[in-house]
Each structure stands twice: as structure tokens, then as C-alpha cells.
Amino acid sequence: ISIDLDQTRYDVRAVYESDGLFEKTSLRVAQNDYRHTEFEGADAGTRYDTDGTDARLELKHRPIGNLEGAIGIQFNRIDLKAEGDEAFVPGSETSQLSLFAFEEYSPTENWVLQGSARIERQTIKTPVAKTFEDTAAGASIGAIRNLPRNLKLSANLALTERHPNATELYADGPHVAVQRFERGSVVLGNGVLDKEVSTNLDVTLRGATNRLEWTLTGYINAVDDYVLLSPTGEEVDELPIFDYGQADVELYGAEAELLVDLFEKDNEHLHARLFTDFVHGEEKSSGAYLPRLPPLRLGLGLHYRGQRLDGSITAVYNRKQDK
């Protein structure tokens, strides 16, 4: 099996600064045309053709006392065409239009308060079902506290909603790249999936000395109607069948990172990075482990930066996922 693949991508970025209310206006637009054909020998098989556009306009307002922030709008469109016996998703056109705002307030030199909000409208058009339209929203609040001994403590609480995507709704076929047969909720006769509604809390502690920087983060997420891709135990054409469904779940985990300066002189710098992270998730009602979660991983990297050379090397160890 081979793939004939072609991709063309255009990126445009612009920044405008002024003396008005909005001191900085940023625009980013990306257009991506991607297509590939899967060949079995000389015979052309499944073909995927994806055209995507992503645009974001952000306006940063001038500080109002100790208040700084920005508002913006974002648009995303993905037009997918899939043809062939192994096209596991039907053609679809997905568009999203979002409005967002972020504000940061510093009441004292040791405190920073943050808040953000976002609302998004999503539309999915496909020939196999009626048009999907829905609105999702999210908001968060956070705080950063500067502590003695160069420590910094931060916490964030967020309530977010996520729409199901076209694959989760309409998949029906062999997903050969990952060796499984996938079935979406609409195909299974379960109708359109509900929005995921997630309540997320994370706490981070940071520290730094002359040669060390470290970060430790812990988080917990309670998600209603979490979208699962679960194995059924059945097979078709020697591929295991996976179905999309939903459950109320809890996830918790931690991340840690340590940066160590090993060498610094003139225009040369060498540092080591050690990092680790893990996540645990289970269904609230049954306590069953969630499928397809990454296992604990450990990593070590070296990064060198000189006047004429910049390079890095990283090794990552992943434990076996036995849950």
C-alpha cells in the first residue's frame, strides 16, 4: 500500500499598531489544500480531499489603569471529500465562527487576576444526514500569586463546551491508518451526540534560581457527555470495531518540567530539560477506565544554542498502558 499525497498551504500574518483604543490589531489567515490517494499496487483506492481555511482577528485594547486585554473573532472551515471503498467518513463541510475575550487585572504587584470567555457556532453539512447546527460557550477565571523565594502560584477554573465533530457523528467504515473499523453515533442510530460540558481546575507552582527553572502542575476535569471511542469486542474484515458514544467521566493528572543550565558563555548556551506527565480517567458511574488514554511518560532533552548553530535532542520513554 502506498500514498500519493499533495499539500499546498498559504499563511498570511499582519500586525497594525495605532494610538487609538486598540493599540495592536493582529490578523492571521491560513489556507490549506490537502489531498491524497491510497494505492494498492497500481490500483487507485480511497481518495481524500480536504480544503481548509482558518482566520483569526485579535484586537488588543490600550491598558485601562491596571486592566489589559483583547477581544477577537475566529473563523474555521473544513471541506472534506472522501471517495472509495475504505472512506470511513462521508463528505462534509464544517464551519465554526467564534467570538472571544481575555482580560487581565493586576490589583497589586504580587497579584494578577485573569478572565476569559468564548462563544462558538458550529455547522456541519453532509449528504447523509440533516445539517447539524449548535452553539457552545466557555468561560474561565484565574489568578497568579507571586510568592517569596522567587516562587509563583497560579490557579485556573474553566467551564467549557465542545461540539461533536463529523467523524464522531458519521464515521462508518475501516480506518485503515489506525487499523480499526469506526462507527459514529448517527450511523449507530443514537442520533446526534450532546455537547461535552467540562469543568476544569488546574494549579501550577513555578520556581527559579540562577541555574534552575521548574514547573509542577496538577489538574482535574469533570466532563459530562465525554465522547468515547470504545472497542466493542467485535470484528469486521479482521478489523476491531470501535463505536463512538458518551459517558460522564473524571480525569486527573499532573505535569512536571525541570530546566537546568549546564553551560553559558558569550553567545553559547546549553541546557537540559527533564519532563514527565500522566493522566488517569474513568467513568463516574461504573469506574471503568477510559479507552485510548496515553500512559505515563518520562523525557530527557538537551538543547544547544550558539552563534551559528542551534540544535536539540530528546528521548521519551512511555510506560505500557495496562488500563
Side-chain angles (χ1 to χ4, degrees), residues 133-154:
E133 289 186 286
D134 202 359
T135 301
S140 70
I141 56 172
I144 303 172
R145 168 68 172 172
N146 294 322
L147 301 173
R149 298 184 180 180
N150 211 20
L151 295 177
K152 184 175 293 188
L153 179 66
S154 62

Side-chain angles (χ1 to χ4, degrees), residues 72-74 97-101 117-120:
I73 184 170
Q74 184 165 355
L97 181 63
S98 308
L99 301 174
F100 61 88
R118 179 184 178 94
I119 186 168
E120 176 183 279

Side-chain angles (χ1 to χ4, degrees), residues 261-274:
D261 284 334
L262 302 177
F263 174 80
E264 186 168 7
K265 180 181 179 181
D266 299 330
N267 294 322
E268 290 186 294
H269 178 80
L270 177 68
H271 76 252
R273 174 177 177 252
L274 292 84

